[in-house]
Amino acid sequence: MNHGAGAAPELHHEERPELQPHFETPEQQFESGKFGMWVFLATEILLFGGLFCAYAVYRALHPEVFVYASLFLDRVLGGINTLVLICSSLTMALGVRAAQLGQRRLLIAMLSVTLLGGAGFLGIKYVEYEHKWKAGLLWGTQYRSQADGHALEHGEPGTHGTDAASHDGSAPPEPPAPAADPRAALPPAAAAALPPSVPIPEGRTFGDGENASLLPPAAIGPTGMRAPEPPPAAGEQLERRIRHEPRNVHLFFGIYFVMTGLHALHVIVGMALIGYVLFRSLRGDFGPRYFTPVDIVGLYWHLVDLIWIFLFPLLYLIE
Amino acid sequence: MSSEHSAAPAAPEVHVVPIRVLVGVWLALIVLTVLTVAASWVDFGHLVGEPWLNLVGALTIAVVKGSLVALYFMHLRYENPFHGFILVTALAFVGLLIGIAMIDVQATRPDLIPNYAPALETPASPTDLPPAP
């Protein structure tokens, strides 16, 4: 870093220790740093672009896999994570502003909050990953078929909020036990008129109370027709969809884990960079004349947010 | 907060984004996020009989959100337009990659998984699929 120190430095190099000897002016150094960062961000976009391309091709060819697999993604947790990242992006932008204005305490506070936001994002991500790990919602040969509905028994999916809540814990209501003696359902007069030797097949009484009778009401349909079943409850509907599993669902989870995993890796790297900038701002390195590292780390953090903004609807909001 | 804005001795070539703008952008991002999640529950596309509208709507909201982040949080609106040019170039090449790949998918309809592409044909039932080799 300090090579060339033997060369006669210009006056403003002495005044500004952060100005590297290979730059003429602070402006040139600042512009070069940002230019280099934008070129790097372009390569990041190309890196994720390849994954988005894989996503698009597989979704175009096998939409049923994506619709099915999205049943197991919790769009509430994903949405909360989106909000967490957006909030940490705001605090990062406020931190850059504080650095530009030389507000050191505000800069430190904003960087700390941003770091917390990153940690919160990873925490929620961990909860999601753990659910999928336990339910066998994994890539390739690690994937465990969900057709037996075992994910339901483990509280998975946490999907669709209300669906999961209606399914959690509470067992489906038991069908009413059939009456032991059909005669008991009849009015006493009707029951007395029937000798005990006359068998009454189960389920052959109609109506109840005073109106109970062995004769079907005239309005009932022809024999063999059943009254239409009421639409299944939301939880039951979800269970049916889960049991009807298409083949090769592991494709989706391969794409899901690579994309969100690479993104989570970027969050970790971004947190390390923010930690470094936080350390330097505690040391008092930054001020209105020099804040390039804060600005550049901010750009990286915003890009991480930007990528998640596209990942979230594509992975979580499939219907 | 505007007083501290004018009082600060920022370097002349650097634009300091007002807090009002940053918070406004943040609020817009929150609202759009809630909107896109809510829209996914309402399932607007199926209501009007055009299911692909769900994807288009969600992606449109994502593009608006991404533009807000790039323009204001990443200062693209205020600084050297060449940085924006770099971003747009990268996005254009990603668009080329995905676009040409999708044209290829539509044109050749390859079966990525041997003997399994129910999206391409419509078998009467899942058991009608040809047997695996």
Side-chain angles (χ1 to χ4, degrees), chain A residues 293-309:
Chain A
V294 187
D295 207 353
I296 282 177
V297 168
L299 284 180
Y300 185 82
W301 193 250
H302 294 314
L303 185 88
V304 171
D305 182 27
L306 201 60
I307 289 170
W308 182 258
I309 282 176

Side-chain angles (χ1 to χ4, degrees), chain A residues 61-75:
Chain A
L61 288 174
H62 299 285
E64 78 286 349
V65 165
F66 283 73
V67 169
Y68 178 80
S70 76
L71 290 174
F72 299 98
L73 293 197
D74 190 332
R75 60 182 66 179

